[in-house]
Amino acid sequence: MNRREIIPLLIGLIGLSPNVVKAKEPVSKKPEAAPRWTFLGDDDALRHTIKEVEQVVLVCVYQTSLTQVNPPFAEVVLRATVVQTIKGGHAIGDKIAIRFMTDSLPSDGKERDKFIQDIANKNLGSLKMAFLSGDKMGDYLTEWLYVPDFDPDMLAFAVKNRR
């Protein structure tokens, strides 16, 4: 038997008429890609953020601490030095504090202490972009997503779109 004879025979054996047989749609559809700037969204969303905030700075974190500790909630305080101003009135060397809330604090005291120490060690000396509302000041309240880790592409994008 050749192929032309086998296919109708197989179709008949499984009980389908030749008119019902259709090719399947591709099973693996490509999932939607994550936004380019993760939680900050795509290019348009980041442009909008840059336009809306008064301060866009690159900072180097020198201290991380927690206040208002009530597990799993706490206020994270990043103390940082401005190393580049993209938008706003800050100068290189300005010391600022950036505050945001977290809901990830472990309830157990020993786990919490280790968690705090690990975060402080991870942040020490790290570069972060900061998209901050308000005029030039020393203390900012924001959301964690507006203090992403340094990304050279994000810095270049922010410089290009600062106006």
Side-chain angles (χ1 to χ4, degrees):
M1 273 187 166
N2 68 27
R3 196 166 137 180
R4 286 186 180 187
E5 296 169 335
I6 293 175
I7 292 176
L9 178 63
L10 289 173
I11 290 172
L13 288 174
I14 60 173
L16 296 174
S17 72
N19 297 337
V20 179
V21 177
K22 295 180 182 175
K24 285 186 175 181
E25 289 187 34
V27 175
S28 60
K29 289 185 179 179
K30 194 173 188 177
E32 285 190 40
R36 179 175 182 191
W37 310 114
T38 62
F39 291 108
L40 290 170
D42 59 11
D43 287 359
D44 288 338
L46 186 55
R47 268 188 210 96
H48 180 74
T49 298
I50 294 166
K51 180 180 176 186
E52 292 296 311
V53 299
E54 288 79 20
Q55 309 292 324
V56 180
V57 292
L58 178 64
V59 298
C60 180
V61 178
Y62 63 85
Q63 182 184 27
T64 303
S65 60
L66 298 180
T67 62
Q68 303 177 26
V69 177
N70 186 12
F73 304 102
E75 181 182 61
V76 177
V77 181
L78 300 177
R79 299 205 183 280
T81 303
V82 174
V83 295
Q84 183 175 350
T85 300
I86 294 91
K87 178 181 176 185
H90 280 290
I92 294 174
D94 284 353
K95 305 282 189 216
I96 64 172
I98 303 169
R99 301 171 183 276
F100 55 87
M101 295 303 294
T102 183
D103 62 359
S104 307
L105 205 57
S107 298
D108 179 69
K110 288 182 181 181
E111 285 180 34
R112 184 171 51 249
D113 291 345
K114 182 180 178 344
F115 178 83
I116 293 168
Q117 189 61 46
D118 289 348
I119 294 299
N121 290 340
K122 177 184 172 245
N123 283 331
L124 184 62
S126 68
L127 293 175
K128 295 190 175 287
M129 295 286 298
F131 300 90
L132 306 168
S133 295
D135 293 330
K136 177 185 171 185
M137 54 187 149
D139 206 323
Y140 294 92
L141 182 60
T142 190
E143 295 180 44
W144 64 270
L145 64 100
Y146 293 114
V147 192
D149 290 335
F150 171 70
D151 174 344
D153 291 337
M154 184 184 287
L155 176 61
F157 184 87
V159 168
K160 180 179 173 187
N161 292 279
R162 64 181 155 207
R163 289 186 174 46

